[in-house]
C-alpha cells in the first residue's frame, strides 16, 4: 500500500488497506458506514435482546468504480476530512472517472455517491463499471420491497427482536437510486451521475427526505450544502499544531472521526450515544456490538464539550433518556437510585453479554456524573438540571451510591465492596480507589447542585461523601488500586492515574508522581490505546515533557494507514475506528499541552509544549457563553475572546494570584503574557451570568 504525502486534511493512497476493517468511515451522527461496505448503521437502531443486542445491519447500495476495458494508469483513494468526503479517482488513457462518497453532514438521512466521467480524448464513448455487493437482505431486518418511488427503489422492514419486552422493534425505510452495472459517456466530454440514498424510520419521512435530496440535486446544492456544514464545524473550533505532518494529521483525523459520530449543529432529534467503534461499526459480535460504554463519557465527551457544549449535551440527554432503564437496573440488584449499564443501547437496561462486567463495573455511574459536572461548570446551565432531567440523573446516582456502600465499624468509613475497577484484570475487589473517589466526587457535585437548585440535601449524602474510603498507602505515598492490591500486579489500562485527570482528585505533587511512576511500569504494554495519553497528561502536569512525549508516542502504534483509523490494541486487535483511543489522544493535546482544567469557578491553564511543537492554537474554546482562542508558544500565551454566544453576559478575566493585577478579556482584544499557570474566570465585579 502506497500512502501519499503532503496534505494535513487529505489522507491519500494508491491502494486500499489489505484489512477491510481499516477502511475509512463516513458518518453524520445518524447514518454511518465503512467506505465500500455493504451495510449502513443507524443511530439507535439495534436488533436482539439483552446481551445479543447489536447494531442492525441495513443493506447499502454503495459501489466501487472499476475500469471496464482500458488499462488503469493511476488510481487514488482519498479521505478529505475537511469536507467529510471520500474520493476515488481512476485515470485511464482516454478518460478520468471520479467518485465522491459522503454521509450528508446537515441532511443526516442522506447518503450520496457522485460519479463524474470526463473524456480526455475527444467525445468518443467511454465507460466504467460499478461494482456492488448490494443485496436486499439482512440478518437483523425482515425486509420487504415496496412499490417504486418514481424511478427509484424502496424497501422497508423492522428489526427482528427488541432489546427488552417493553421496547418496540425499530422500523427502517430506504429509498435509493438503482445502481446499473456500468455508466457510459457518449456525445460529450463530461457527465455527472448522482446516486442518492435516504434512510429513515417511517415511510412518510423517507419520501420527504429523499425529495429534499432531489431538490438539492436540482438546485446544484447537494454537495455544496454538505461542504458548508463541515466548514461551519471547522470555522467554529479547530486545533492548529505547528509540528510534523504526522502529528497534524493525527490531531485532525481524530477530531474528524469524533465529530462524525455526533449530529449536526442545531440538531433537535433524539441521539443514542457513541460506541467505541463509532456508528460505522458494531454489528453482531464485532466492535462491542455498537454498545455505549464509559468510553463515551470519559474519553470522547470532554473534547466535544470544550468546543461544542450544545453537541456534548446530546450525550447527556442520552443518559437522561435511558435513566428509566438505569433505575430498573438498580432495583433488580436490590438498591435504590440508578445504576447506569456498563453496556448501554436503546433503553438503559444492561446489555453486556458478560454479566460480570455489567454487575461489577460500577464506576460507570461516576463516569456519567463527571460528564454532567463538567458541563455544568463550563456552562452554568442551571435550567438543564432544573427542568430538562439533569437533576434526576444526578440525584439518582447519589441515591445509588448511598444505597450500595456499607459501613465499616473497624475502619470507621464507608466501603464499596464487590466491584470491578477500570483495570479489568481484577474483579470482585473491595474499595476500588478510582470508583470510590468517583463516589465522593459524585456526591460533592450532587450536594452543590442541590444548593443551587434549592433542593433538600439528604444527610446520608454528606456523610458518605466525607467518610467514603479512598485507599492510600502513607508509607509509599501512593494510591493502591484497591484493598489488598500489591505493587507488581499487572494493570490492564489507565485506572488510578485517572484520579489526577480528569477527576482532579486532591493530592500532592509527590503522590501524583508516585502514582504515575508505579502504575506506568505495571500497566500492560499491550493494553488499549487510550491508556498512554492519560499517563502523558499526568507527566505534563508535573512538567516532565520528555517523559510525557514517550507515553504519547506509544499511541502512534495504534494509528493505521492510510486513513488514520485507530485500532484498540497496538497489534491491530480489538475494536477498530477506536474513538476511545482518539479521544484520549485529543485530550492529551487539549488538556495536556494546554493544562486546561474545567473547575467549579474557573477554567485553569498551565501550558507546556515539547520541542517539536513550535506553536499550538486552540480556537473556539467555550466558557460561560464566550468563545476563546488560546495561542501557545514555549514562552508566551495569548488569550482572546472572539465572540459571546446566545446573548449571555459573562465578562471574563485572567487571574494569576492575589498580588498581581487581573487582565480583562474583552471581545477582539487579545491579552498576551509569559507562559505560566493561571485561570480564566468570571470578572470579580460580575458575580452572575445572564
Amino acid at each position: 500500500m502506497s500512502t501519499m504525502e503532503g496534505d494535513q486534511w487529505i489522507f491519500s493512497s494508491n491502494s486500499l488497506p489489505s484489512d477491510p476493517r481499516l477502511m475509512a468511515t463516513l458518518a453524520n451522527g445518524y447514518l454511518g458506514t465503512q467506505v465500500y461496505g455493504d451495510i449502513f448503521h443507524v443511530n439507535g437502531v439495534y436488533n436482539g435482546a439483552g446481551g445479543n443486542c447489536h447494531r442492525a445491519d441495513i443493506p447499502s447500495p454503495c459501489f466501487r468504480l472499476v475500469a471496464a476495458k482500458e488499462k488503469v494508469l493511476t488510481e487514488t483513494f482519498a479521505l478529505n476530512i475537511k469536507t467529510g468526503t471520500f474520493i476515488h479517482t481512476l485515470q485511464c488513457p482516454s478518460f478520468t472517472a471520479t467518485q465522491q462518497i459522503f454521509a450528508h453532514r446537515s441532511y443526516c438521512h442522506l447518503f450520496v455517491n457522485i460519479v463524474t466521467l470526463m473524456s480526455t480524448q475527444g467525445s468518443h464513448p467511454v465507460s466504467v463499471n460499478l461494482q456492488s455487493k448490494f443485496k436486499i437482505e439482512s440478518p437483523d431486518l425482515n425486509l420487504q420491497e415496496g412499490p417504486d418511488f418514481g424511478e427509484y427503489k424502496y424497501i422497508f422492514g423492522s428489526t427482528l427482536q427488541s432489546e427488552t419486552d417493553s421496547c418496540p422493534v425499530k422500523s427502517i425505510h430506504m429509498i435509493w437510486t438503482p445502481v446499473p452495472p456500468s455508466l457510459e459517456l457518449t456525445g460529450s466530454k463530461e457527465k455527472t451521475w448522482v446516486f442518492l440514498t435516504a434512510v429513515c424510520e417511517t415511510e412518510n419521512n423517507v419520501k420527504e427526505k429523499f425529495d429534499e435530496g432531489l431538490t438539492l440535486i436540482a438546485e446544484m446544492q447537494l454537495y455544496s450544502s454538505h461542504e458548508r456544514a463541515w466548514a461551519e464545524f471547522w470555522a467554529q473550533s479547530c486545533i492548529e499544531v505547528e509540528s510534523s505532518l504526522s502529528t497534524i494529521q493525527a490531531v485532525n483525523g481524530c477530531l474528524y472521526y469524533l465529530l462524525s459520530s455526533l449530529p449536526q449543529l442545531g440538531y433537535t432529534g433524539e441521539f443514542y450515544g457513541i460506541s467505541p467503534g463509532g456508528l460505522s461499526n458494531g454489528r453482531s459480535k464485532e466492535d462491542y456490538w455498537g454498545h455505549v460504554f464509559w468510553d463515551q463519557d470519559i474519553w470522547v465527551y470532554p473534547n466535544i464539550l470544550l468546543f461544542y457544549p450544545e453537541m456534548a449535551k446530546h450525550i447527556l440527554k442520552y443518559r437522561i433518556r435511558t435513566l428509566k432503564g438505569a433505575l430498573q437496573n438498580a432495583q433488580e440488584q436490590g438498591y435504590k437510585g440508578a445504576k447506569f449499564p456498563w453496556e448501554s443501547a436503546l433503553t438503559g437496561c444492561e446489555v453486556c453479554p458478560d454479566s460480570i462486567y455489567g454487575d461489577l463495573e460500577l464506576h460507570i455511574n461516576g463516569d456519567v456524573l463527571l460528564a454532567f459536572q463538567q458541563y455544568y461548570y463550563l456552562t452554568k446551565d442551571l435550567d438543564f438540571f432544573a427542568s430538562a432531567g439533569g437533576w434526576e440523573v444526578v440525584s439518582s446516582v447519589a441515591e445509588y451510591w448511598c444505597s450500595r456502600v456499607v459501613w465499616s465499624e473497624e475502619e470507621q468509613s464507608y466501603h464499596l465492596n464487590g466491584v470491578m475497577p477500570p483495570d479489568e484484570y481484577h474483579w470482585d475487589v473491595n474499595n476500588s480507589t478510582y470508583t470510590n473517589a468517583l463516589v465522593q466526587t459524585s456526591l460533592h457535585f450532587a450536594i452543590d447542585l442541590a444548593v443551587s437548585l434549592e433542593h433538600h440535601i439528604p444527610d446520608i449524602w454528606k456523610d458518605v461523601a466525607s467518610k467514603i474510603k479512598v485507599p492510600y498507602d502513607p508509607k509509599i505515598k501512593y494510591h493502591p488500586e484497591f484493598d489488598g492490591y500489591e505493587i507488581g500486579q499487572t494493570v490492564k489500562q489507565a485506572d488510578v492515574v485517572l484520579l489526577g485527570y480528569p477527576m482532579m482528585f486532591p493530592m500532592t505533587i509527590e503522590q501524583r508522581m508516585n502514582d504515575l511512576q508505579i502504575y506506568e511500569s505495571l500497566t500492560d504494554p499491550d493494553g488499549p490505546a487510550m491508556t498512554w495519553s492519560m499517563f502523558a497528561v499526568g507527566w505534563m502536569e508535573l512538567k516532565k515533557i520528555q517523559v510525557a512525549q514517550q507515553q504519547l508516542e506509544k499511541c502512534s502504534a495504534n494509528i493505521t494507514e492510510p486513513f488514520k483509523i485507530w485500532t484498540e490494541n497496538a497489534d491491530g486487535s480489538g475494536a477498530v475506528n477506536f474513538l476511545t483511543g482518539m479521544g484520549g489522544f485529543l485530550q492529551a493535546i487539549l488538556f495536556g499541552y494546554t493544562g486546561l482544567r474545567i473547575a467549579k469557578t474557573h477554567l485553569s491553564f498551565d501550558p507546556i509544549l515539547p520541542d517539536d511543537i513550535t506553536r499550538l492554537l486552540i480556537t473556539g474554546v467555550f466558557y460561560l457563553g464566550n468563545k476563546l482562542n488560546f495561542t501557545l508558544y514555549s514562552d508566551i500565551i495569548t488569550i482572546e475572546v472572539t465572540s459571546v454566544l446566545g446573548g449571555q453576559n459573562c465578562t471574563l478575566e485572567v487571574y494569576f494570584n492575589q498580588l498581581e493585577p487581573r487582565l480583562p478579556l474583552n471581545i477582539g482584544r487579545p491579552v498576551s503574557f509569559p507562559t505560566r499557570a493561571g485561570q480564566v474566570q468570571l470578572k470579580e465585579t460580575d458575580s452572575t451570568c445572564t
Side-chain angles (χ1 to χ4, degrees), residues 335 362 400-419 430-431 436 439 460 463-464 467-469 483:
Y335 300 108
L362 307 184
Y400 178 82
W401 288 139
C402 294
S403 172
R404 182 64 170 75
V405 296
V406 295
W407 177 253
S408 169
E409 286 291 342
E410 180 182 354
E411 297 190 12
Q412 289 293 294
S413 61
Y414 286 99
H415 288 195
L416 190 62
N417 298 330
V419 304
N430 297 335
N431 296 316
N436 286 20
V439 171
I460 188 65
D463 200 46
V464 174
K467 297 176 184 176
I468 183 77
K469 178 181 181 179
D483 281 355

Side-chain angles (χ1 to χ4, degrees), residues 626-628 639-644 652 665-669:
N626 294 261
K627 279 283 193 174
L628 302 99
I639 304 176
E640 179 182 6
V641 174
T642 58
S643 62
V644 178
L652 304 180
L665 288 171
N666 299 310
I667 294 179
R669 295 183 182 179

